[in-house]
Amino acid sequence: AATDAAAFERDFGPDAGISWTVEYDAVASSAAASKKSGDAAQHCAVRLRGAPADTERVAAADADRYVEAYVAWWFGESRESRAFVRGFDRVLSRASSDVYGLLTPSDLELLVRGSPSLAIFGALKERAVYEDGYDAESATVVNFWKVVDELDGEKKLKLLKFITGSDRAPIKGAPRIVISRSAATHQLPSSHTCFAHLVLPDYADLATLRTKLLIAIAESSEGFGLR
């Protein structure tokens, strides 16, 4: 249950305190049997079906029951879930009235979230477009792809998110990225995620490019540029 809870929080946020509820033996407040719903200006308590009663305290023995009730509420009754379903139904109904019968849960996940496969990086390189003085043979471009090849899976996905805004590839395959030259070699690489556009300074050597790129993708996952 702890592993499932951690995965849920990774995708939907830590607001629920799900991992805390499952992993710790400490007794939580009885308020944990409900979930606050709404924005900062307007909250309301939502009764979780199957969760311990309002008068019960959520202890370690109740953790799995609470997690199941919370996840059921989130996907079935929450405002966010209902809005998603309405929009998703609207899109799919335009495509085919029988689409639900054709898609498995895995198919739906790929359609909505994209693919986490690292196999797209070969296609990413093949489809890349170069601007502002760069081409596929430019020394900095060659060094860039050398660094990409060195990255482990986690860092490759962070790089993809840095450039495109998502660490998953569209179901149709690798996006077409644009890599443009900048003379500001004192700066880190930057990106325009809406356009899958990487601005890559023309660094003097491989070591400098590696260092600057790794800093950029590490900082971007923590909100670089927004602090």
Side-chain angles (χ1 to χ4, degrees), residues 95-108:
S96 169
S97 59
D98 299 323
V99 70
Y100 283 121
L102 301 176
L103 298 177
T104 66
S106 296
D107 293 332
L108 285 174

Side-chain angles (χ1 to χ4, degrees), residues 138-158:
S138 299
T140 298
V141 171
V142 172
N143 285 339
F144 169 77
W145 290 114
K146 285 182 179 178
V147 172
V148 172
D149 288 340
E150 296 172 359
L151 299 177
D152 61 26
E154 181 181 0
K155 287 187 173 64
K156 281 184 177 179
L157 293 180
K158 283 186 175 182

Side-chain angles (χ1 to χ4, degrees), residues 104-153:
T104 66
S106 296
D107 293 332
L108 285 174
E109 181 180 16
L110 283 174
L111 184 64
V112 175
R113 302 185 64 199
S115 170
S117 172
L118 297 174
I120 66 156
F121 275 84
L124 204 67
K125 181 178 180 179
E126 292 176 1
R127 301 193 67 201
V129 174
Y130 304 100
E131 296 182 349
D132 299 331
Y134 277 157
D135 59 44
E137 305 301 321
S138 299
T140 298
V141 171
V142 172
N143 285 339
F144 169 77
W145 290 114
K146 285 182 179 178
V147 172
V148 172
D149 288 340
E150 296 172 359
L151 299 177
D152 61 26

Side-chain angles (χ1 to χ4, degrees), residues 16 29-37 44-49 51-54 56 58 66 70 73:
S29 165
S30 60
S34 64
K35 173 73 180 89
K36 286 186 177 179
S37 175
C44 63
V46 177
R47 179 79 179 98
L48 298 180
R49 297 178 184 175
D54 290 336
E56 294 183 60
V58 181
Y66 171 70
Y70 179 84
W73 170 79

Side-chain angles (χ1 to χ4, degrees), residues 135-189:
D135 59 44
E137 305 301 321
S138 299
T140 298
V141 171
V142 172
N143 285 339
F144 169 77
W145 290 114
K146 285 182 179 178
V147 172
V148 172
D149 288 340
E150 296 172 359
L151 299 177
D152 61 26
E154 181 181 0
K155 287 187 173 64
K156 281 184 177 179
L157 293 180
K158 283 186 175 182
L159 174 64
L160 183 63
K161 184 174 183 179
F162 178 72
I163 298 174
T164 68
S166 173
D167 60 358
R168 289 172 174 255
I171 193 171
K172 293 183 178 180
R176 184 182 300 277
I177 65 170
V178 177
I179 302 177
S180 62
R181 180 183 179 277
S182 167
T185 54
H186 62 289
Q187 295 182 351
L188 296 175

Side-chain angles (χ1 to χ4, degrees), residues 85-103:
V85 170
R86 285 196 302 271
F88 199 68
D89 281 342
R90 182 178 299 176
V91 172
L92 291 186
S93 64
R94 292 175 180 174
S96 169
S97 59
D98 299 323
V99 70
Y100 283 121
L102 301 176
L103 298 177

